[in-house]
Amino acid sequence: MADPYQNQIYNQGRGDAYGTYGEGGGHDGYGYQGDYPPQEEDAASDVTEGHDEEDQMYEGEYQGIPHPDEVKAAQRAARAKTRTPGSAVSELQELSEQYEDIMEDCGHGRFQWTLFIVLGLALMADGVECFVVAFVLPSAEKDLCLSNAEKGMLGLVVFLSMMVGAFLWGGLADKVGRRRCLIVALAINCIFAFLSSFAQGYGFFLFFRLLSGVGIGGTVPIVYSYFSEFLQMDKRGEHLSWLCMFWMIGGIYASFTAWGIIPRYGWGFSMGTEFQFHSWRVFVLVAALPAIASLVGLTFMPESPRFLLENAKHDEAWMILKQVHDTNWRAKGQPEKVFTVTHIKAPKTAEDEFIEIQSATGTPIQRWAVRSLTLGKLVLKNVASLVSVELRFATLFMAVIWFCMAFSYYGLSVWFPDMIKHLQREEYESKVKVFHKVRVENFLFNFSLENQIHKEEEYIRDKFISIEMKSVKFVDSLFEDCHFEDIKSTDTVFENCTIRSTVFYNTDLWEEKFIDCRLENTTFEHNKHGCHLDTMEENDVLIYLVSFLGSLAVLPGNIISALFMQKIGRVKIIGGSMLISAGCTFLLFLSSSQSAIIALQCLFCGVSVAAWNGIEVVTVELYPASKRATAFGVLNALCKLAAVLGSSIFASFVGVTKAIPILLSFAALVGGGLVALRLPDTREKILL
């Protein structure tokens, strides 16, 4: 791809003036060759030799099926009739119609499906990123000695970094290029995801995941903008919806690989006590594979020709469009079809609207600073244009819809598994064994203690050797001349106890586990320092199962929305899905078991995905090419902000009340659904 700075010229603004690329005439500036390029009388093409055009018949002629060329001509004539006689056609509208005609001639085939896979892998990487931290936290919190506050920050930084990435890369994609920005964003994600798997401390792990999130945050705004510019109007809604399925595949991939890797503790290795590489770190590496695969695929894909035309790179755009045309028709067995486009409307670039930086001006650092500052100003100017007179209502409506949908969806996505854990904890605590005023002397405890409460007990000359204490609580108890050795503990505390002449040898019973206790002549020898992953602990597979089922439940909604996106319309799908999802939330009042909550989560995810698909398609169609990725980036950043607020608010009510999360999600979905019904129908709208 050509360097956008190769001529060291930076745009400070551009009017809507467009010129014509190519020589000669043509209808509305869009030219086709009337015949094949001039050839000698006796010359013959290798692919057409032996064929007489007059002898070739269209297969559907006798069945009354119109020829595809006739259908295209009718569609173009219909678009022309929609313009009132004498009305002025804007240069942007004229370019858009011409570009749509070109994409219709190029057809939909091998090129689009190849790009579909490559961009789908990038979208899959975004889906994986949302699950990585949640899956590794149960193991990482012990490996990295994480407190509750640090765990919360690690979960928060994922969405905050993706929010920054969406805003940053979305804005740059409209100025630097879709393909280039996506390659850089994915490269940043891959590099720092790799480094995070080797980080031994919390600070480095947090920093690397932060930068990894900034990289992957740019995928969603760029992928949809990029792919939509290779689709003709009647294919756009359906195929953008199929593309959404890769986010679901990312969730399934993350759940499946986490389930298969993280509990396998033997997959790791260690180098002394300073470097530990446990199985959860292997999962972090495996989670980066979709991004790596997409990055490799993108090196073989071209830039969006629509972006190139917007930036006056006519030759590159023409060559790419010819590549799309030839790739598709060769794959369909018709290599004789020739790309006949000769003229394309393209923007004029006035010299007084540019600043030229001579290579002899200043130092390389100064030139880089000027370039970066100019580019930053252009991005911010583009962001500000989203609230211009022409776009302010579209931006306002889409902001409300994105926020409401994300607030409810991500809030409930956190609330569902947290509520299941709460029910598990309640069930576990209901089975607690309580011992009261028991005196134990000269006894050897060589068996594990679990889910027990000991009150006002006395332990005299007892030994606790090589055991595990899980969820054990000693209250107002006495320990005298006791010996604790090789103890592993989880959620174990001593409250208001008296401990005399007792030895703790090679245990993880630290001072913070003795609350308001009196320690008399007590020694701690060779205590276990730091945090250690307990290889004997059973890994809770429920978190993987819930995520797997939630992702899999999206499949029916994805298929239905893709098939009916063009028939029913984006607006009805968004509004209807959000209102149905709101109704699903009220069923949560009836849920009182883990299985009921899992079932309702699957139902909610299956319905809400149709709304997500419609939202993403409409976002692409409402904005012109010069602002498309910027608008998508701003709205996706708002989505991540809503996700942070929703997950934080909903999680705070787990175990307190179900009513507030349910009512909040219901209100958000109903409000967003009603606003969505006010959107214009974009099914027959040509991308500007």
Side-chain angles (χ1 to χ4, degrees), residues 219-263:
T219 56
V220 173
I222 300 176
V223 161
Y224 286 102
S225 302
Y226 190 10
F227 191 51
S228 68
E229 291 167 355
F230 284 96
L231 297 174
Q232 58 201 65
M233 182 174 61
D234 59 341
K235 302 284 187 181
R236 195 168 58 228
E238 178 184 350
H239 289 273
L240 285 175
S241 298
W242 289 127
L243 187 66
C244 297
M245 290 184 64
F246 279 92
W247 202 94
M248 171 207 71
I249 297 173
I252 294 175
Y253 173 81
S255 305
F256 186 77
T257 53
W259 197 346
I261 294 175
I262 295 179

Side-chain angles (χ1 to χ4, degrees), residues 20-40:
T20 302
Y21 168 62
E23 299 291 339
H27 297 289
D28 295 328
Y30 175 57
Y32 290 89
Q33 297 175 358
D35 296 299
Y36 286 73
Q39 298 180 348
E40 297 180 4

Side-chain angles (χ1 to χ4, degrees), residues 116-419:
F116 174 82
I117 298 297
V118 172
L119 296 181
L121 287 169
L123 200 59
M124 179 178 170
D126 180 87
V128 171
E129 185 76 14
C130 295
F131 291 95
V132 168
V133 170
F135 287 156
V136 304
L137 265 184
S139 298
E141 67 175 314
K142 296 174 182 175
D143 214 5
L144 302 176
C145 302
L146 303 183
S147 64
N148 289 332
E150 289 172 334
K151 287 190 293 182
M153 178 57 69
L154 193 56
L156 180 65
V157 77
V158 173
F159 285 104
L160 291 179
S161 60
M162 292 176 75
M163 178 178 72
V164 173
F167 182 87
L168 174 65
W169 298 113
L172 289 175
D174 279 333
K175 297 301 177 183
V176 178
R178 281 84 159 103
R179 175 180 175 271
R180 169 171 293 186
C181 285
L182 188 55
I183 287 176
V184 174
L186 287 174
I188 290 174
N189 172 254
C190 293
I191 291 171
F192 288 103
F194 175 81
L195 293 176
S196 70
S197 69
F198 292 92
Q200 296 297 301
Y202 169 73
F204 279 113
F205 185 75
L206 181 70
F207 177 70
F208 291 145
R209 293 313 303 182
L210 172 68
L211 295 181
S212 173
V214 170
I216 203 65
T219 56
V220 173
I222 300 176
V223 161
Y224 286 102
S225 302
Y226 190 10
F227 191 51
S228 68
E229 291 167 355
F230 284 96
L231 297 174
Q232 58 201 65
M233 182 174 61
D234 59 341
K235 302 284 187 181
R236 195 168 58 228
E238 178 184 350
H239 289 273
L240 285 175
S241 298
W242 289 127
L243 187 66
C244 297
M245 290 184 64
F246 279 92
W247 202 94
M248 171 207 71
I249 297 173
I252 294 175
Y253 173 81
S255 305
F256 186 77
T257 53
W259 197 346
I261 294 175
I262 295 179
R264 308 295 191 268
Y265 299 105
W267 286 20
F269 63 90
S270 62
M271 298 173 62
T273 58
E274 298 299 324
F275 185 86
Q276 305 288 330
F277 196 90
H278 294 296
S279 57
W280 67 268
R281 298 178 183 274
V282 178
F283 167 69
V284 173
L285 289 178
V286 173
L289 291 181
I292 295 173
S294 179
L295 184 60
V296 173
L298 278 169
T299 60
F300 300 96
M301 292 291 107
E303 179 58 86
S304 164
R306 182 59 192 272
F307 166 80
L308 295 174
L309 288 173
E310 288 288 330
N311 288 270
K313 296 183 179 180
H314 324 100
D315 294 341
E316 291 180 53
W318 188 88
M319 290 298 295
I320 292 170
L321 290 169
K322 184 178 184 301
Q323 176 190 350
V324 175
H325 177 278
D326 294 348
T327 300
N328 288 340
W329 288 110
R330 278 199 303 267
K332 295 176 181 179
Q334 301 183 55
E336 69 276 6
K337 274 190 172 288
V338 177
F339 186 60
T340 56
V341 176
T342 58
H343 311 95
I344 306 176
K345 278 286 183 179
K348 293 179 180 178
T349 53
E351 293 180 358
D352 59 347
E353 294 175 343
F354 289 80
I355 293 178
E356 182 175 355
I357 303 176
Q358 300 294 337
S359 59
T361 303
T363 65
I365 295 178
Q366 289 175 329
R367 292 196 296 272
W368 175 84
V370 172
R371 293 169 183 169
S372 301
L373 182 61
T374 304
L375 184 60
K377 290 180 179 179
L378 291 174
V379 170
L380 293 178
K381 183 178 179 181
N382 223 20
V383 172
S385 68
L386 299 180
V387 292
S388 62
V389 176
E390 299 83 3
L391 297 174
R392 64 178 58 169
F393 287 109
T395 302
L396 176 61
F397 284 5
M398 292 308 301
V400 171
I401 295 168
W402 273 89
F403 186 90
C404 291
M405 189 67 206
F407 179 82
S408 178
Y409 180 83
Y410 287 102
L412 288 177
S413 295
V414 170
W415 186 83
F416 282 126
D418 283 357
M419 194 63 189

Side-chain angles (χ1 to χ4, degrees), residues 442-446 461-465 481-484:
N442 299 313
F443 187 80
L444 173 62
F445 289 88
N446 57 1
R461 296 181 299 277
D462 297 320
K463 292 183 178 181
F464 299 80
I465 307 296
D481 292 324
C482 293
H483 185 82
F484 291 80

